Amino acid sequence: MLRLHLKTIPAGLAASLLCAVMAQAQSATPAPENGTLEVEQVFAGTCGFCHSDGGRAAGKGPQLMNSPRDDDFIRDRIKHGKPGAMPAFDGAFTDAQIDQIIKYIRALKPREG
Amino acid sequence: MRKQWLNSGLPVLAVAAFAASAALAQTVDTARIEGAGQNDWLTYHGSYKSHHYSPLAQINANNVGNLGVAWMHVPGRSTRGLQSMPLAADGVLYYSGSYSRVFALNGATGEVIWSFFPELDEALISRQTHSPYNRGVALGEGKVFVGTMDGRLFGLDAKTGKVLWETRLIDSQKLTVGFTGAPLYAKGSVIIGSQGGEWPGRGPIFAVDATTGKKKWEFLTVAGTDEAMKTWANDSWRTGGGGGWMPGTYDSETNTILWGTANPAPLYDWSGPDYKTQGARPGDNLYTSSVIALDIDTGKLKSYHQELPHDAWDFDSAVGEFVMLERDGQKYVVHPNKGGFVFVYDRNLGVKNVWRLVENINFVKDIDPKTGALIGRRDFPVGKVTEPPLCPFIGGGISWNSGSYSPKTGLYYKIGQEWCMTLDIQKTTPVTAPQVQLNIGADFKMAPPPGGEIYGHLDARDPITGAKKWEVRYPEPPLGSVLSTAGNLVFVPDSRGVLHAYDAETGAELWKHNNGTGHQGGIVSYSVGGKQYIAVTAGFGGMLADEYAPNFGGVYKSMPRDDGALVVFSLK
């Protein structure tokens, strides 16, 4: 259905519709109704499967704490993924939510103790 | 087709031998798979008995030193390596690669007879985590059956590769899950289980009419009966999981399909010990992490055993082996569980014994060998799990690839994995809509076993008692399947890329060959024109293999995760 929308309506409208649909659909997922993410939960639910220890260590995917990659690179990778390595999340997270995820990554510190 | 072979410059003798075997070709049917003719490998597990054993003995412990590469085939686009189990019938080898590409090859020469590249929904696949590998095909009634990541099952003409039917079984757009496992053919039906585990679906297993492609029945591994629905309090069945992503088997004596099911979601629950009433999915969560027996004609549940009630560790039962054997007049079914235990059942899935393949297990203190009941569970509340770490690691004490049972030695050859993990369990909001892939419920990291090192081992065990005859150790757990043969040999394709051949009685290494990249798929033996072949898939990458480079370094640092080849051996 989403794909159909994107094909038949202007891109800008499609993007806002997509966001609206996602925000609605995610009411039962880690995104509360105001559209902000509980990023720690998102990591524990999804990202942490590959980015070990909540992004602090390399696992199936690279370590994210102290990543040398810039925000644009990380944003692009979250949205479009990497074939055979990382899924594309552009249908799952809005741009604002991706910004929140980047913020979380930048704030990552080693665990205490 | 014959003309094509002649033009390719094949030796006339080889063509004549192949034409002769093709002329003798019979339809692959239930009786033939049951009989497991010695020249063929007709179904994922070798036969319905799931022995992964070849009665061929031309290649044997005395001459295996002369084993060399006969031919290779490169399927291309091997994203996340090659993970499938080749099949062989009447001199033709069939196998699949990533993106459900299927090949039919001349078993003696490797020449391509036909290939099938399904047109897939690439945008959907780019959104999937457990994708785009494929773990095998099924044969039956002159057809080759293969599932796709976008939720379809195909029936192809075994002679030409032409699509005879195509059936959409799952709305993958909605669920973002599909089929990676091989189907099973039996009694006019093609059985295939969907992915599940981490997704908010109900993990269906399907039966499809092999002739028409029409769906016959569907069994839901999450709350699929009224009884099961009661084991998911607070409507938590909506968080789902389950599925049956590896092929099980068929018991013709009882007209039953035996299948292993995957874990519930989220993988790690924050309930603590009160898991019956608290947490993300209060209750036992039937029929996840279970072995189930379904009537092949109706899909009705006949019996089951939940190996891990309320699995809080992702140590599910999706391993597809149901090793059938008889001893002292008793019929047994042996089924390995991801947690590192091996369950021994009667044919109705009544527990007869449970034994440990793996040393480092602490998610339970033990499992009662008489009843299968878990003793001393570790159910985690929110917070860190470090002292001790959880053992085994999320990759399991036993992974999804198959072991091998040799009726000749009476031994079961099986890979065990010794590794653990630290966790930080999170209290999560229920995920009931398939928007974001996965539903793990914790941050985690691989860790060595307390006071020890990570390693893997091939064990030669009594399949009923678990008594160990010998063991071979590897610095990193091997991830491929094991093959034993009547030539007194056991073949193990390891993670570094070396294929080993051992003496089946003693475990002494007799031969090895470096295939140049890690193994994580199948290995079979078959015969064409009186000559025995060993076929193994090489090609690394995916959910477990991707952990090797960061954790083990060495050869894994540069090992490709988008490459692979089928390598076939014969005596020089």
Side-chain angles (χ1 to χ4, degrees):
Chain A
M1 251 173 66
L2 287 176
R3 209 171 44 153
L4 221 148
H5 284 153
L6 291 171
K7 273 183 184 165
T8 52
I9 55 179
L13 181 56
S16 58
L17 256 177
L18 188 70
C19 296
V21 169
M22 288 308 161
Q24 195 179 21
Q26 283 193 356
S27 59
T29 69
E33 280 175 11
N34 63 11
T36 60
L37 284 175
E38 294 289 340
V39 182
E40 215 167 321
Q41 276 200 28
V42 170
F43 258 79
T46 297
C47 315
F49 186 57
C50 297
H51 303 286
S52 287
D53 199 12
R56 293 171 182 84
K60 290 179 273 294
Q63 174 182 313
L64 300 175
M65 184 174 67
N66 302 325
S67 172
R69 303 292 194 178
D70 63 29
D71 287 5
D72 287 345
F73 180 95
I74 296 174
R75 185 177 295 109
D76 184 71
R77 185 52 55 84
I78 294 171
K79 285 176 102 159
H80 303 117
K82 182 181 175 186
M86 175 164 166
F89 288 99
D90 57 349
F93 301 130
T94 64
D95 284 355
Q97 289 169 336
I98 291 173
D99 284 344
Q100 276 185 267
I101 294 170
I102 294 171
K103 212 176 193 180
Y104 167 90
I105 290 168
R106 295 297 182 211
L108 278 170
K109 295 271 180 295
R111 289 187 194 276
E112 290 169 10
Chain B
M1 277 197 315
R2 264 179 82 179
K3 193 176 157 200
Q4 196 184 338
W5 294 333
L6 291 170
N7 286 345
S8 72
L10 272 183
V12 174
L13 264 178
V15 174
F18 185 72
S21 76
L24 294 171
Q26 300 164 345
T27 298
V28 175
D29 58 18
T30 310
R32 201 173 153 199
I33 297 173
E34 184 106 47
Q38 69 168 14
N39 294 331
D40 302 315
W41 195 283
L42 300 174
T43 189
Y44 188 96
H45 297 299
S47 77
Y48 296 130
K49 291 192 175 80
S50 303
H51 287 181
H52 288 264
Y53 166 82
S54 171
L56 294 168
Q58 188 181 71
I59 300 166
N60 57 54
N62 296 322
N63 62 19
V64 69
N66 294 324
L67 202 60
V69 175
W71 56 266
M72 292 173 65
H73 180 260
V74 177
R77 221 184 169 205
S78 291
T79 310
R80 287 188 162 146
L82 262 184
Q83 307 194 13
S84 72
M85 184 73 65
L87 303 184
D90 307 308
V92 179
L93 185 145
Y94 303 88
Y95 86 110
S96 60
S98 294
Y99 302 92
S100 298
R101 291 179 166 197
V102 183
F103 299 88
L105 309 172
N106 179 320
T109 66
E111 187 169 6
V112 176
I113 299 168
W114 57 257
S115 60
F116 169 69
F117 293 5
E119 191 176 333
L120 301 176
D121 183 339
E122 300 273 347
L124 166 67
I125 287 171
S126 76
R127 290 161 53 207
Q128 296 176 320
T129 50
H130 296 55
S131 182
Y133 43 83
N134 183 278
R135 290 170 178 164
V137 300
L139 301 176
E141 301 183 7
K143 301 182 192 69
V144 179
F145 309 102
V146 66
T148 64
M149 282 307 308
D150 54 8
R152 292 173 290 165
L153 182 66
F154 281 87
L156 311 174
D157 186 321
K159 287 196 176 125
T160 64
K162 195 179 150 201
V163 176
L164 297 175
W165 51 256
E166 171 191 343
T167 303
R168 176 166 296 287
L169 293 168
I170 301 178
D171 182 355
S172 295
Q173 279 298 335
K174 188 179 165 204
L175 286 173
T176 71
V177 298
F179 301 112
T180 52
L184 172 77
Y185 170 82
K187 206 185 168 194
S189 288
V190 187
I191 319 291
I192 191 163
S194 82
Q195 293 177 301
E198 291 79 77
W199 288 269
R202 297 180 71 183
I205 295 169
F206 299 95
V208 167
D209 186 300
T211 306
T212 64
K214 201 177 160 195
K215 187 169 102 178
K216 282 181 164 175
W217 52 256
E218 175 178 354
F219 179 82
L220 300 174
T221 60
V222 171
T225 65
D226 291 345
E227 176 206 14
M229 186 63 87
K230 291 173 192 159
T231 65
W232 300 77
N234 306 337
D235 274 353
S236 57
W237 60 272
R238 293 179 191 280
T239 67
W245 45 266
M246 285 301 292
T249 196
Y250 171 61
D251 183 350
S252 62
E253 287 179 28
T254 57
N255 205 40
T256 301
I257 293 294
L258 298 172
W259 217 269
T261 72
N263 52 282
L267 305 193
Y268 303 104
D269 193 1
W270 43 270
S271 65
D274 299 327
Y275 68 85
K276 291 269 190 189
T277 54
Q278 303 294 315
R281 41 182 170 83
D284 283 345
N285 309 144
L286 290 170
Y287 299 97
T288 60
S289 300
S290 303
V291 289
I292 57 176
L294 304 175
D295 184 295
I296 192 172
D297 297 320
T298 65
K300 297 283 182 221
L301 184 73
K302 296 169 82 169
S303 59
Y304 72 92
H305 175 74
Q306 190 174 34
E307 293 182 339
L308 305 186
H310 191 91
D311 177 0
W313 316 280
D314 188 21
F315 297 147
D316 57 79
S317 307
V319 179
E321 286 167 270
F322 286 87
V323 183
M324 295 192 189
L325 45 96
E326 289 189 42
R327 183 176 293 176
D328 303 328
Q330 288 278 322
K331 291 182 175 180
Y332 295 99
V333 182
V334 177
H335 182 259
N337 174 279
K338 188 179 171 187
F341 288 92
V342 176
F343 287 73
V344 181
Y345 298 102
D346 62 25
R347 290 290 176 94
N348 296 313
L349 299 180
V351 174
K352 306 306 282 183
N353 191 22
V354 184
W355 53 269
R356 284 170 189 252
L357 178 75
V358 168
E359 189 182 335
N360 290 286
I361 297 174
N362 66 19
F363 70 100
V364 290
K365 280 203 174 70
D366 205 357
I367 297 183
D368 187 327
K370 288 196 172 67
T371 64
L374 306 192
I375 299 166
R377 301 172 56 111
R378 286 180 83 189
D379 287 290
F380 307 120
V382 169
K384 290 178 189 169
V385 179
T386 53
E387 297 297 332
L390 172 64
C391 304
F393 175 59
I394 190 172
I398 291 169
S399 191
W400 53 268
N401 260 300
S402 294
S404 178
Y405 170 71
S406 166
K408 198 173 172 184
T409 62
L411 293 169
Y412 179 45
Y413 306 96
K414 185 69 181 165
I415 300 290
Q417 305 166 165
E418 306 290 346
W419 45 16
C420 304
M421 66 197 289
T422 57
L423 285 154
D424 187 0
I425 308 281
Q426 302 272 330
K427 183 171 183 179
T428 51
T429 314
V431 176
T432 55
Q435 290 300 316
V436 182
Q437 289 256 318
L438 302 176
N439 187 2
I440 309 299
D443 295 325
F444 63 81
K445 190 175 185 313
M446 188 189 290
E453 299 282 317
I454 292 172
Y455 69 98
H457 47 100
L458 168 72
D459 287 15
R461 302 263 193 164
D462 182 299
I464 307 296
T465 67
K468 181 157 53 174
K469 184 162 183 193
W470 53 261
E471 175 188 299
V472 175
R473 291 194 176 194
Y474 306 83
E476 305 91 31
L479 298 178
S481 283
V482 177
L483 168 71
S484 66
T485 73
N488 196 32
L489 292 169
V490 180
F491 289 90
V492 176
D494 79 11
S495 295
R496 292 190 180 188
V498 177
L499 175 60
H500 306 262
Y502 302 103
D503 184 304
E505 293 285 2
T506 66
E509 184 170 86
L510 302 174
W511 172 87
K512 65 181 174 180
H513 174 88
N514 192 335
N515 276 328
T517 191
H519 303 93
Q520 53 169 350
I523 179 166
V524 305
S525 187
Y526 62 95
S527 175
V528 189
K531 190 164 189 175
Q532 183 183 358
Y533 296 87
I534 307 285
V536 63
T537 54
F540 218 51
M543 294 303 106
L544 197 44
D546 286 357
E547 296 275 359
Y548 277 47
N551 286 292
F552 305 131
V555 298
Y556 302 105
K557 278 196 214 165
S558 61
M559 193 176 277
R561 287 180 275 170
D562 57 356
D563 213 344
L566 176 77
V567 189
V568 179
F569 297 85
S570 63
L571 291 174
K572 289 172 201 163

